[in-house]
Amino acid sequence: RFDLARDRLPALRGLAEKEGRPGPGGRLFRFRADPPTTTMQRLKGLTTGSLPTFVDAGSNFASYAIREDNLLRQLADNGKRVVFMGDDTWAGLFPGAFARAHFFPSFNVKDLHTVDDGILRHLYPTVDDGDWDLLIAHFLGVDHCGHKHGPDHPEMAKKLSQMDTMIRSLVDHLANDTLLIVAGDHGMTSTGDHGGDSEEEVTAALFVYSKAPLFQSPPPEEPEVVPQVNLVPTLALLLGVPIPYSNIGEVMADLFAVEGDAVSSGLAQLSAYSINAWQVSRFLHSYSLAAQDLSAEKLQHLQDQFSSTLEDYERLLARAGPPALSEVEGLQSRFRGYLREARAVCAESWARFQPVCMVAGCALLASSCLLCCVASQVASSPSSFSYRHLLFYPLLWGLAGAALLGLAYLWGGAGVDFIVVSAWASAASQGGFFWHCWARRPWRSRSAGTRLSPGSATQRQRQRLRAWLEPALPLGLLLVRCGAMLSDSFVMAEAQVVPFLLVTLVLLLVMRLHWEGRLEDSPVSRRLLGSLSVILACTRLSGLFQQCREETPHCQSSPILASLSSVQDPQAKNFYYVLCVAVLVALAWGVRAWLRHYGNLNSPSAPVLFVRWGFPLLAICISSYWAITSGAEEALVKAHAGVQLALVAFPRSVFALVAAGFLLVLWDPVTVFVKDSQGAAMTGGPILLPSSQEELRQVIPQLYRRMQESLRSRLDEAKAGGRATVAAYGLGSVYSAALLICLALLGFLFLVLHNERLSLAFLLLFLEAFALLWMHASAVALTSPAGEWRVGGAGTVALSQCWMVGLPQALCPYPKEPKLE
């Protein structure tokens, strides 16, 4: 960030003060980035001279090779030696472009020293050997320190001091004909983030220095603003290679001034401007032939401006005798105006939004949500479900729509837009689905008919209307929630609005049950009210973890969100560490206790074994990783090689264990264990994974039928005087157990990816989600008719359903407390 370089790097200030006196000197510029200010997009702009858009921001974490013409490719093609050291992102962006390279891992933003220390080991020897034409050293410590601590933390002062010392030492190793450029690819906000278009994010620093006299004109009172794309044509001409094809930057004319009179210096600058303008004019001409998004009138105006300026420049060169200084400066101003106007035209076109396409995309997303709702209703009636009408035919509709639009593109002579064709195919496919659903409405009338009770015509109409209005409230809330995301004021106040809506909904549910007279003095009602209390408490406590948005400068983020390494008091650090580990243990122990209580830890299946042993191992790995990262940064720098290895090994172990857990749950999600009191555990073929909604409904009936068949002989013995009991461990929570295991695995994954003290917020989130599920299960149990067979979300099953096994209730106890472990 510019202010950090100006105020907290004394070396730059000292070198810049030498300018204007005989000898070496440097100059500091405001280096303005084009949004988005993510690393990959800034590197692309700094090497191609083009303007990456926000669509490119999705590639920041999966950086593909840059195929456009760029500065490094031009250097390699013209036999220049490029040496790189630092961020390994460059390895993926520019494969094969470096004569020598020292790459270091960069994705771990908590690591402030690995990349910087690796560069410092190679920097000075490489500079001294002189076997290079361009040397790039990409330090990451300041960027990572901003992400981890923010720009005002003491650790940031230490990193800036390290960079200041590096610059002072590097200057002593420079040759007289070497140009030193110190630049930032982006700035950072007050919280250390970047990626947007705020002034703090787009304003970086650029410092240019040479031991030889560099600038012929005195420095301005205020640092000049230089767009980042201007560095590309400047370096290309200074190194004697062609300017990259898609560059729209402007040369930094001050660097092309020569010693002598003002006219000679102006002519040298004018030559650089003319080469730059030729390159931009050629790019605009070829680009306008391939795409039609630039205004034809503006392109013609730019072409006329370039042609007239070039003609006057050629006449100036053809004239005998030296030209007047005013003529040279006038042509410079005209070339400069052309280059800046061309860049403005491109930026206006490439950053232009298309409201019609945006509305169409939102409508397509909304129809996709509606499709999911309709598909769930259709799947609930298997007798009317048809893969041919609801899957195959809509697919043909989509292919036909894509083919028709593609033919229209080809008929009109325009290039096929893959995004538009794909959107059209999706819309046609969804239209076909909705059409076939409307045409095959028996599923709807049948489902509605099952809910209607006999009575008068008016009563049936009321019941039919109520059946239509039942999903209106949840769907309406969903639409309001999605529509609110288009409101900037809602997005800024989302942290207050969402908890309010959640509390309002749960209170509305409880009040509705009270008005219907279902909240009686029963265990289920007390459980529902207890869940309500947990939700209200978690919602209130969540206010302690407030992260302010960049658009609210007067907001103060909660200090508890900072990492443990930023805590200076040792006692406070130890207290928070013990508290975070306690939260981690509570998460692992709570999930295991719940599964043990409902009998889901009795099965010898692989997921059960993973819960028993994998969860404690995950807790140990995460707590060990926290113990290392919570130490002071100096301690991590001086740590033993084994500790450095542990910083990488522990997170990767957590990722591997979480992935293994998910695979095991997908492979065998049923954690039910069946046993009779007079024999061994039930055996038989495995229960096949359900592939449809109807098969999913048959999981528990299959288990009961298996019990019924295998225990029939035991029942006969019981009638003859013996006694046989059946224990189905985990049957009531057969669905929720797999869901709970997956949620716990996600919790472990998020814990290792965030700061230590955020574990407290994740615990609240987990408790809140669990209480919501329990509250839903209690509400379903209170509203269900007596005798109806249901499996609650909390994993309970009524004892009155033993008739499915064929046993009297006395012989079919539901084992809440497991007998085996």
Side-chain angles (χ1 to χ4, degrees):
R1 205 169 70 181
F2 176 78
D3 58 335
L4 297 180
R6 179 191 58 194
D7 302 332
R8 300 168 70 175
L9 290 178
L12 300 185
R13 186 168 60 250
L15 294 173
E17 288 175 353
K18 296 181 180 180
E19 187 183 351
R21 302 196 301 266
R27 186 175 293 183
L28 184 64
F29 300 89
R30 292 183 182 270
F31 206 31
R32 190 167 187 85
D34 297 290
T37 51
T38 47
T39 298
M40 196 280 281
Q41 285 67 43
R42 290 297 85 234
L43 296 182
K44 183 177 181 180
L46 286 169
T47 54
T48 64
S50 60
L51 299 178
T53 63
F54 279 93
V55 176
D56 296 328
S59 305
N60 191 54
F61 300 102
S63 303
Y64 304 102
I66 294 179
R67 304 299 180 188
E68 302 175 42
D69 189 16
N70 57 78
L71 181 62
L72 298 183
R73 177 183 296 178
Q74 289 290 349
L75 290 170
D77 292 345
N78 288 272
K80 302 294 184 179
R81 300 159 298 175
V82 181
V83 178
F84 177 84
M85 53 188 69
D87 185 357
D88 60 354
T89 303
W90 292 70
L93 294 177
F94 308 102
F98 306 111
R100 285 181 293 161
H102 305 281
F103 298 115
F104 303 97
S106 61
F107 192 73
N108 183 11
V109 295
K110 294 183 179 181
D111 183 4
L112 310 184
H113 306 287
T114 298
V115 177
D116 292 1
D117 292 345
I119 294 174
L120 293 175
R121 286 195 302 269
H122 300 280
L123 179 60
Y124 305 122
T126 305
V127 172
D128 293 337
D129 66 31
D131 189 21
W132 48 271
D133 295 294
L134 176 65
L135 171 61
I136 303 173
H138 188 171
F139 290 87
L140 278 180
V142 173
D143 180 70
H144 283 187
C145 189
H147 284 295
K148 186 176 182 181
H149 301 295
D152 300 321
H153 194 271
E155 290 297 332
M156 178 62 78
K158 296 177 184 178
K159 291 306 299 183
L160 292 174
S161 176
Q162 182 188 29
M163 294 296 102
D164 189 74
T165 303
M166 180 272 299
I167 294 173
R168 293 181 187 274
S169 301
L170 183 60
V171 168
D172 297 334
H173 291 263
L174 294 180
N176 292 333
D177 60 347
T178 301
L179 179 67
L180 172 64
I181 297 177
V182 181
D185 56 344
H186 53 72
M188 65 175 65
T189 64
S190 58
T191 58
D193 299 319
H194 60 90
D197 60 349
S198 67
E199 188 66 24
E200 294 177 322
E201 293 171 279
V202 300
T203 304
L206 172 66
F207 180 76
V208 182
Y209 172 83
S210 176
K211 289 185 175 181
L214 190 60
F215 298 98
Q216 304 301 318
S217 60
E221 294 183 1
E222 287 295 326
E224 182 183 352
V225 178
V226 176
Q228 283 190 353
V229 293
N230 290 9
L231 189 63
V232 175
T234 303
L235 289 180
L237 294 183
L238 289 175
L239 291 170
V241 298
I243 300 175
Y245 162 77
S246 58
N247 165 75
I248 57 172
E250 168 194 343
V251 292
M252 299 171 63
D254 290 337
L255 298 180
F256 294 90
V258 296
E259 296 183 8
D261 56 32
V263 174
S264 300
S265 182
L267 287 174
Q269 294 173 331
L270 195 57
S271 175
Y273 272 127
S274 66
I275 297 173
N276 190 185
W278 260 111
Q279 172 265 321
V280 172
S281 176
R282 182 188 60 180
F283 167 69
L284 291 179
H285 175 70
S286 58
Y287 182 84
S288 63
L289 297 178
Q292 288 76 35
D293 55 346
L294 297 179
S295 171
E297 296 180 359
K298 293 181 178 180
L299 285 175
Q300 186 60 45
H301 170 70
L302 287 173
Q303 182 60 36
D304 295 341
Q305 183 179 358
F306 170 72
S307 300
S308 63
T309 305
L310 185 63
E311 290 175 2
D312 292 343
Y313 173 62
E314 292 176 346
R315 280 197 295 266
L316 179 70
L317 295 179
R319 246 177 17 203
L325 179 60
S326 59
E327 292 181 292
V328 175
E329 292 178 346
L331 287 174
Q332 287 183 6
S333 178
R334 291 170 63 183
F335 273 127
R336 195 161 48 240
Y338 166 76
L339 291 170
R340 294 178 181 180
E341 187 173 348
R343 180 172 177 269
V345 169
C346 293
E348 178 185 2
S349 175
W350 296 341
R352 184 176 57 203
F353 298 105
Q354 299 180 0
V356 176
C357 294
M358 294 171 64
V359 172
C362 293
L364 192 60
L365 290 175
S367 64
S368 300
C369 297
L370 181 61
L371 185 146
C372 294
C373 180
V374 174
S376 64
Q377 294 291 330
V378 174
S380 63
S381 180
S383 60
S384 62
F385 184 83
S386 172
Y387 282 101
R388 177 184 298 176
H389 292 86
L390 300 179
L391 182 62
F392 181 68
Y393 288 165
L395 181 61
L396 292 181
W397 279 52
L399 293 176
L404 290 176
L405 186 61
L407 291 175
Y409 270 114
L410 296 177
W411 183 266
V416 179
D417 192 332
F418 178 75
I419 296 179
V420 175
V421 172
S422 300
W424 184 262
S426 178
S429 178
Q430 291 187 13
F433 178 85
F434 289 128
W435 171 261
H436 287 290
C437 286
W438 181 261
R440 299 173 58 83
R441 281 179 296 169
W443 63 270
R444 183 168 138 263
S445 60
R446 222 176 0 255
S447 61
T450 58
R451 291 192 296 264
L452 297 179
S453 58
S456 62
T458 304
Q459 185 177 2
R460 288 196 298 271
Q461 290 292 336
R462 290 178 179 176
Q463 293 181 356
R464 184 178 291 108
L465 179 62
R466 183 176 181 180
W468 272 98
L469 293 178
E470 275 184 1
L473 178 61
L475 288 178
L477 291 174
L478 176 63
L479 292 177
V480 171
R481 178 72 174 86
C482 296
M485 298 304 295
L486 302 176
S487 169
D488 182 66
S489 57
F490 174 82
V491 172
M492 295 175 61
E494 187 177 6
Q496 292 78 32
V497 175
V498 173
F500 173 78
L501 292 178
L502 175 63
V503 172
T504 303
L505 286 176
V506 295
L507 288 177
L508 180 62
L509 174 62
V510 174
M511 293 173 64
R512 176 186 175 186
L513 294 175
H514 175 69
W515 291 334
E516 294 178 355
R518 299 182 183 274
L519 280 181
E520 302 175 353
D521 188 9
S522 63
V524 178
S525 299
R526 289 192 292 271
R527 187 167 63 236
L528 184 141
L529 295 177
S531 302
L532 174 63
S533 302
V534 172
I535 294 173
L536 295 178
C538 292
T539 304
R540 177 61 62 180
L541 292 175
S542 64
L544 299 175
F545 305 90
Q546 181 182 7
Q547 178 66 49
C548 297
R549 300 181 62 87
E550 300 163 8
E551 300 90 341
T552 55
H554 302 293
C555 177
Q556 294 293 330
S557 298
S558 174
I560 203 173
L561 295 176
S563 61
L564 281 181
S565 60
S566 63
V567 180
Q568 303 298 325
D569 186 4
Q571 293 183 351
K573 180 181 293 187
N574 293 335
F575 169 76
Y576 279 118
Y577 175 75
V578 172
L579 185 60
C580 294
V581 173
V583 169
L584 185 62
V585 173
L587 175 62
W589 177 84
V591 174
R592 289 192 60 189
W594 189 92
L595 295 173
R596 183 187 299 110
H597 178 71
Y598 287 104
N600 291 102
L601 291 185
N602 294 300
S603 172
S605 62
V608 171
L609 295 177
F610 182 84
V611 172
R612 288 182 178 178
W613 304 106
F615 278 22
L617 188 58
L618 281 168
I620 292 173
C621 291
I622 296 176
S623 59
S624 302
Y625 178 67
W626 286 348
I628 299 175
T629 57
S630 61
E633 298 299 337
E634 295 86 351
L636 293 180
V637 174
K638 301 176 182 178
H640 191 268
V643 179
Q644 297 290 338
L645 178 62
L647 283 173
V648 179
F650 281 128
R652 291 184 178 180
S653 300
V654 173
F655 298 153
L657 287 172
V658 169
F662 277 120
L663 291 176
L664 290 176
V665 172
L666 290 175
W667 175 52
D668 187 11
V670 179
T671 57
V672 176
F673 181 71
V674 181
K675 181 183 180 300
D676 72 293
S677 62
Q678 297 185 4
M682 299 301 164
T683 59
I687 299 294
L688 298 178
L689 293 178
S691 59
S692 64
Q693 183 73 17
E694 180 61 23
E695 293 182 4
L696 185 63
R697 293 171 177 268
Q698 299 300 320
V699 171
I700 292 181
Q702 287 184 52
L703 294 172
Y704 275 116
R705 281 195 293 271
R706 180 171 300 174
M707 293 164 58
Q708 195 174 34
E709 295 171 1
S710 61
L711 297 177
R712 194 174 300 278
S713 60
R714 299 290 183 183
L715 293 175
D716 295 337
E717 294 178 4
K719 292 179 180 180
R723 183 175 179 82
T725 59
V726 179
Y729 295 94
L731 185 60
S733 54
V734 62
Y735 297 131
S736 52
L739 175 62
L740 186 62
I741 294 173
C742 291
L743 289 177
L745 291 173
L746 282 177
F748 287 125
L749 180 62
F750 290 147
L751 287 176
V752 80
L753 291 176
H754 291 80
N755 291 332
E756 302 89 344
R757 288 191 285 182
L758 271 179
S759 59
L760 306 175
F762 280 114
L763 179 63
L764 291 178
L765 182 63
F766 197 88
L767 289 176
E768 199 169 4
F770 192 82
L772 282 171
L773 292 176
W774 198 291
M775 190 174 183
H776 172 70
S778 302
V780 170
L782 289 174
T783 56
S784 300
E788 183 179 354
W789 186 82
R790 286 184 180 271
V791 177
T796 59
V797 62
L799 297 180
S800 59
Q801 309 310 321
C802 293
W803 57 269
M804 294 190 66
V805 192
L807 296 177
Q809 180 173 330
L811 300 181
C812 184
Y814 173 66
K816 285 188 177 180
E817 298 295 338
K819 302 175 183 177
L820 298 178
E821 182 70 11

